Amino acid sequence: MRILKYILLLILLFFIGLSVFVSTQKANYDILRSKVIKTPKATVYNYVKDFKNWETFSSWIVDDKGIQLNYSNRTIGTNSFITWDGNEGDGKVTTLSFKENDSISQKMISNGEEAAITWRFKDTIGGTKVTLISLGKLDFKSKILAFFNGGIKSTVEDVYAKTLENLDKTLDFELNTFDIKVNAIVNRPGGFYLKQSIYCKEKSVAKNLKIMIPKMQRFFKKNNIVSTGKPFVIYNKYDKTNDIIGLSVCIPVRDSLRFSPGSDIEWANMLPFTAVKTTLTGDRSHTQKAWAKTFDYITKQKLVRASSQQVIEVYVKGVDDEKQPSKWVTEIYVPVLPKVVPRKRTYFKPADSTAVAKPATPVEETVTP
């Protein structure tokens, strides 16, 4: 009995000593991890700044199979956010500010603890140096958990190291794995659709599409409008010389709709047209390669572009359908004039009047209608 009392006393003294030790440890922490990502800076920056991509590389999301994610309406830019609730706890990251292609400042709240997060992007040999910095403060409970897990510095650094490793692998494989196939000349059906149009510079096209497509989808949901197909983009103007791109983000509908004057959403009707169809499987950053391959096919087949009809891109499968960019599907339709198919005409050659009469001989001639 006396031995048991001594053991209990020793255990009590241990926990008292541990509590005193932990309470005297620094609550503030400053963690920095860097890694060279084998991808151009602009691509890395654009991928990280969109919260929709975080579930492909953030280690605390990737490793938690039971996690539930929610996003702000806009997943890019100031005040955009991602929240999660999983087996390892809950949290939220909000973008506070950013400097294009340079840095992103965010606030993270994880299991009730707040930290300042900074991403920095810098060109370097072999790709982009990505630096992830975290400044935070631990409460007493968190300091105890960190103590038994090798310390907060070791714990958080491991999470950030895995995040950067995942980012490198994702960008290297997912963004660079793609396939382009020119399918054939097809008859593209027409139909009604709603559209929102803008003019912008070529470098801003991808950024605007990431904002406009979700906005159109929210408009449909808010107004209980039923879509009859996948979102698509019509390129109304493509002036590379003056760097002016005119485009419309569109979603097909079944019926004719009316909007009040001044609305930025319009109803339109597309007539059927003939086009060369090309399918891009992979990230949309390769659409220019798909366009080039399509135009090369048109030249080789001696086809003629239809100037009255614009090029369209149909987003058959995107981030809302598939989280892996290598599996996204985009269909590109470049309008062309219907190919003239030669037909054969049969006529009868008159018999020679000076010769012995013979039955007329049928002759075939290829004509172009």
Side-chain angles (χ1 to χ4, degrees), residues 309-333:
Q309 187 75 38
Q310 293 80 24
V311 176
I312 71 171
E313 292 176 352
V314 182
Y315 301 138
V316 179
K317 186 181 292 185
V319 67
D320 292 327
D321 311 295
E322 172 60 58
K323 302 309 176 187
Q324 296 176 269
S326 62
K327 296 181 180 179
W328 294 353
V329 178
T330 303
E331 292 177 350
I332 299 168
Y333 295 87

Side-chain angles (χ1 to χ4, degrees), residues 14 40 45 51 76 195 200 210 216 239 255 304 314 360-361:
F14 169 77
Y45 171 83
F51 282 122
I76 299 173
K195 67 177 181 176
C200 64
K210 285 185 177 182
M216 282 286 287
D239 184 352
D255 304 310
V304 179
V314 182
T361 304

Side-chain angles (χ1 to χ4, degrees), residues 81-117:
F81 63 80
I82 179 175
T83 64
W84 65 90
D85 188 0
N87 299 325
E88 303 299 323
D90 56 22
K92 179 180 181 179
V93 176
T94 304
T95 296
L96 303 178
S97 62
F98 59 90
K99 185 176 179 181
E100 197 74 19
N101 288 330
D102 180 82
S103 59
I104 303 171
S105 296
Q106 300 171 325
K107 179 177 73 173
M108 173 187 281
I109 299 175
S110 180
N111 296 323
E113 295 174 15
E114 186 174 314
I117 306 295

Side-chain angles (χ1 to χ4, degrees), residues 188-200:
R188 171 78 183 170
F192 302 143
Y193 61 94
L194 300 187
K195 67 177 181 176
Q196 183 182 34
S197 305
I198 64 164
Y199 286 91
C200 64

Side-chain angles (χ1 to χ4, degrees), residues 283-297:
D283 186 75
R284 292 174 189 161
S285 61
H286 303 291
T287 53
Q288 289 297 315
K289 301 184 186 74
W291 279 46
K293 196 167 184 178
T294 307
F295 294 142
D296 184 56
Y297 175 88

Side-chain angles (χ1 to χ4, degrees), residues 67-263:
I67 203 165
Q68 297 294 318
L69 302 173
N70 286 294
Y71 304 92
S72 53
N73 287 335
R74 290 182 58 177
T75 56
I76 299 173
T78 304
N79 297 324
S80 62
F81 63 80
I82 179 175
T83 64
W84 65 90
D85 188 0
N87 299 325
E88 303 299 323
D90 56 22
K92 179 180 181 179
V93 176
T94 304
T95 296
L96 303 178
S97 62
F98 59 90
K99 185 176 179 181
E100 197 74 19
N101 288 330
D102 180 82
S103 59
I104 303 171
S105 296
Q106 300 171 325
K107 179 177 73 173
M108 173 187 281
I109 299 175
S110 180
N111 296 323
E113 295 174 15
E114 186 174 314
I117 306 295
T118 302
W119 295 81
R120 292 177 180 167
F121 308 87
K122 184 178 181 180
D123 285 319
T124 189
I125 298 174
T128 306
K129 182 180 180 181
V130 180
T131 301
L132 188 50
I133 304 168
S134 177
L135 304 175
K137 186 176 183 178
L138 299 177
D139 59 20
F140 183 73
K141 179 183 176 181
S142 298
K143 287 199 289 185
I144 291 178
L145 293 174
F147 174 81
F148 285 106
N149 286 282
I152 183 63
K153 198 173 184 70
S154 174
T155 303
V156 177
E157 279 189 344
D158 182 58
V159 171
Y160 286 177
K162 289 174 67 177
T163 294
L164 293 174
E165 185 67 30
N166 291 341
L167 179 62
D168 189 25
K169 289 180 179 178
T170 298
L171 290 172
D172 185 48
F173 178 81
E174 290 297 335
L175 298 191
N176 296 315
T177 301
F178 67 97
D179 178 70
I180 298 172
K181 181 180 180 181
V182 179
N183 304 104
I185 299 175
V186 300
N187 292 318
R188 171 78 183 170
F192 302 143
Y193 61 94
L194 300 187
K195 67 177 181 176
Q196 183 182 34
S197 305
I198 64 164
Y199 286 91
C200 64
K201 294 182 180 296
E202 187 174 22
K203 68 177 184 180
S204 301
V205 169
K207 175 183 176 181
N208 284 314
L209 291 182
K210 285 185 177 182
I211 295 172
M212 293 173 67
I213 293 176
K215 181 180 178 181
M216 282 286 287
Q217 292 171 329
R218 290 194 301 272
F219 178 84
F220 269 64
K221 185 175 181 180
K222 180 180 178 180
N223 294 280
N224 296 316
I225 301 173
V226 178
S227 66
T228 57
K230 292 294 185 177
F232 62 94
V233 172
I234 300 177
Y235 288 90
N236 306 304
K237 183 182 182 70
Y238 216 113
D239 184 352
K240 293 182 74 72
T241 302
N242 298 302
D243 195 15
I244 300 175
I245 309 298
L247 60 86
S248 298
V249 170
C250 315
I251 297 181
V253 292
R254 182 180 296 108
D255 304 310
S256 172
L257 298 172
R258 295 186 179 216
F259 294 90
S260 58
S263 173

Side-chain angles (χ1 to χ4, degrees), residues 3-14:
I3 294 175
L4 182 59
K5 288 182 179 179
Y6 283 136
I7 293 174
L8 292 175
L9 180 60
L10 288 172
I11 293 174
L12 178 60
L13 291 173
F14 169 77

